[in-house]
Amino acid sequence: MKPLDWTVTARDGNARTGTLTTRRSVIETPVFMPVGTQGALKGIRFEWLEDEIDARIILGNTYHLFLRPGVETIIEFGGLHKFTSWNRSFLTDSGGFQVFSLTELRKLTEEGVEFRSHLDGSKRFLSPEVSMEVQAALGSEIVMVFDECPPGDAGYDATKASLDLTVRWAARSKARFDQLQAEGMDSGFKDPPADTGGSDLSGKQSLFGIIQGAGHLDLRKESLERTVEIGFDGYAIGGLSVGEEKSVMYEVLDFIAHKMPEDAPRYLMGVGTPEDLIEAVNAGVDMFDCVIPTRNGRTGSAFTSQGKLNIRNAKFATDDRPLDPDCSCSVCRRYSLGYLRHLYQAGEMNASIMISHHNVAFFMETMRRTREAIRAGGFQSFRKEFLDKLKANATGGV
Ligand SMILES: [Zn+2]
């Protein structure tokens, strides 16, 4: 039995809609996946995500969950779904990105990466095998291979060497993943409790490969070919939005996305702004994740159809309009800019919660409109209108 089902349902240029079905949810693409770093979306309860925002898949971070609460605790609960009570799909990253970006002290070898936990300084180790074992214990529907993430400004030779290592690690990830699936996924850890019902540990995860190569197009192409040769259920573009110029990111996307296999979902990791999402869909990408809706929400920054808005701005003090007149989320239906600004200025946690809520709802709504436009064959006019509105605001239009 296949771990996931993927069907392309409409095309408009390189942009496409599709249906991704896991054992836990049916996901319409292009999709934005909110990030639940520590097993929770910051400020947003799962009830809101399910009932109102209608997220069908969220991310969990292997690095963070590996360090805290730790794999043993999650196995004790019978997997990440039972632990968190999120019953729809999870995609877990491999932990690689965090190891390379969060930890100062690390030792990279062919075998894996030794690093010190950012929590208590303890010595830890991640490798393709360990990452697969941790993600098996988490029980996510989509597992990512363990890759090396070179910095955005890495030179050609360093990028090539990193890419070679990532390909070797992808093959090792796949080998260990296949073993774990055959063994019922919990091998390498103690037996799961008998009452899990087996649903979290039933051996039906899928594995995505990751294409690296920084801004070097020939290396991107080589990475794609060698990753496809190993063979995965889906393919991701990694190593973008890591400090390179935006034009480089768009150039890589336009070059590589439509070359990725038609018959598998394409996932752009860790990107990005609403504008980035629309441009990546235009290049042929199906899936996204990013922390910015909640990160910006916490600092009072809202994404709207008219561009970005800072709730601290004094001009909103007596403004009785919603955050975004075009948004139908529960925050915009009920609360005014002036009230939200007051809450933010007063240090009330509701300000961060409500702006984060709106931001996630806005990203989801943007993807819903994108899917509609593609299905109707009007993606290019939708894209132009969407980007023009943002531009008008950036130049002082609103
Ligand atoms: Zn809203």
Side-chain angles (χ1 to χ4, degrees), residues 32 241 246 249 268-277 288-293 303 363:
F32 179 77
S241 198
K246 233 173 210 187
M249 177 167 91
L268 174 57
M269 303 179 78
V271 177
T273 63
E275 182 188 5
D276 294 338
L277 265 52
F288 305 92
D289 80 281
C290 195
V291 295
I292 57 169
F303 291 95
F363 273 60

Side-chain angles (χ1 to χ4, degrees), residues 327 329 332 358:
C327 178
C329 86
C332 291
H358 158 79

